[in-house]
Amino acid sequence: MKDKEVIIEVSARHVHLTQEQVEILFGKGHNLTPKKYLSQPGHFLAEERVNIIGPKKIFENVAILGPVRNSAQVELSMSDCFSLGVEGQLRESGDTIGTSGVKICTNESKLYLDEGVIVAQRHIHMTPDDARKIGVKNKELVNVKIETGIGRDLIFSDVVIRISENSALSMHIDTDEGNAAMIKKGVKGKMLEKV
């Protein structure tokens, strides 16, 4: 594999919803309103916000990311899970079977998810063309070396490669991981082969 730099993006707690769930929470016929488009093509931060209610705590004003999905997913850091009082399970996006559930509410309505809470496994989005140039395959695990220049350099291991046509090259980590390396906007990492 050729060494390749990748931009590091820290993903804070957020929710993905189905269209049916959006309508339960915000009213029949309601569609998510894009506030800011994200680095992944077609993905956006919505104007709408929700509260997440767990056994120990409530997280207010939590971001919803669009577009809508086929199933709901609540992405938290492990610290968030401890605070909320739910079990945090490290999973790839979409793998929610057997995970914890939470209540999601707005001023208008509420719903309960039987499952869907995950701690997202760190991953790198890329196109098939990116993958060919770098020399990696879908679902392959790589290491990524982060040099922040402030004494918190580290290597993230077991970073999953996620290849799709509609991707932009970037690595996503959660807030616990970002804080551990004191990641600032614009920090890049270098992909390395697993040893």
Side-chain angles (χ1 to χ4, degrees), residues 24-126:
I24 289 170
L25 292 169
F26 298 100
K28 190 160 181 63
H30 188 91
N31 292 304
L32 293 176
T33 309
K35 178 178 182 179
K36 175 186 173 187
Y37 281 91
L38 306 175
S39 64
Q40 295 306 306
H43 292 229
F44 60 87
L45 170 68
E47 293 276 3
E48 296 82 0
R49 296 283 176 137
V50 293
N51 297 330
I52 300 173
I53 303 172
K56 291 170 58 178
K57 189 171 183 169
I58 298 174
F59 289 146
E60 297 181 338
N61 203 35
V62 176
I64 302 172
L65 299 189
V68 293
R69 293 192 174 185
N70 293 327
S71 61
Q73 183 168 290
V74 178
E75 294 187 35
L76 304 173
S77 69
M78 191 60 78
S79 294
D80 286 340
C81 291
F82 291 145
S83 295
L84 206 59
V86 297
E87 180 185 3
Q89 294 187 39
L90 185 66
R91 299 287 185 96
E92 280 194 63
S93 183
D95 180 12
T96 59
I97 295 173
T99 56
S100 296
V102 288
K103 187 183 289 184
I104 298 176
C105 69
T106 62
N107 290 334
E108 293 78 28
S109 188
K110 63 186 173 186
L111 62 87
Y112 184 79
L113 300 181
D114 292 324
E115 59 188 14
V117 175
I118 69 165
V119 176
Q121 186 168 357
R122 48 188 172 245
H123 56 277
I124 300 172
H125 292 282
M126 64 177 66

Side-chain angles (χ1 to χ4, degrees), residues 141-195:
L141 300 177
V142 298
N143 293 337
V144 177
K145 184 176 183 180
I146 311 291
E147 295 178 348
T148 61
I150 54 174
R152 271 318 217 11
D153 300 352
L154 54 74
I155 294 177
F156 286 114
S157 62
D158 298 326
V159 183
V160 180
I161 300 295
R162 291 175 50 184
I163 300 171
S164 70
E165 290 286 354
N166 195 33
S167 287
L169 185 61
S170 64
M171 175 173 161
H172 289 175
I173 60 177
D174 68 28
T175 51
D176 285 348
E177 295 168 314
N179 289 339
M182 298 176 73
I183 298 289
K184 303 275 190 214
K185 187 171 183 173
V187 167
K188 293 183 179 179
K190 183 179 285 187
M191 281 179 259
L192 308 170
E193 289 185 40
K194 291 279 293 171
V195 178

Side-chain angles (χ1 to χ4, degrees), residues 128-140:
D129 190 48
D130 291 327
R132 280 190 295 274
K133 289 176 183 173
I134 298 165
V136 292
K137 296 178 181 172
N138 196 44
K139 303 295 184 181
E140 185 174 343

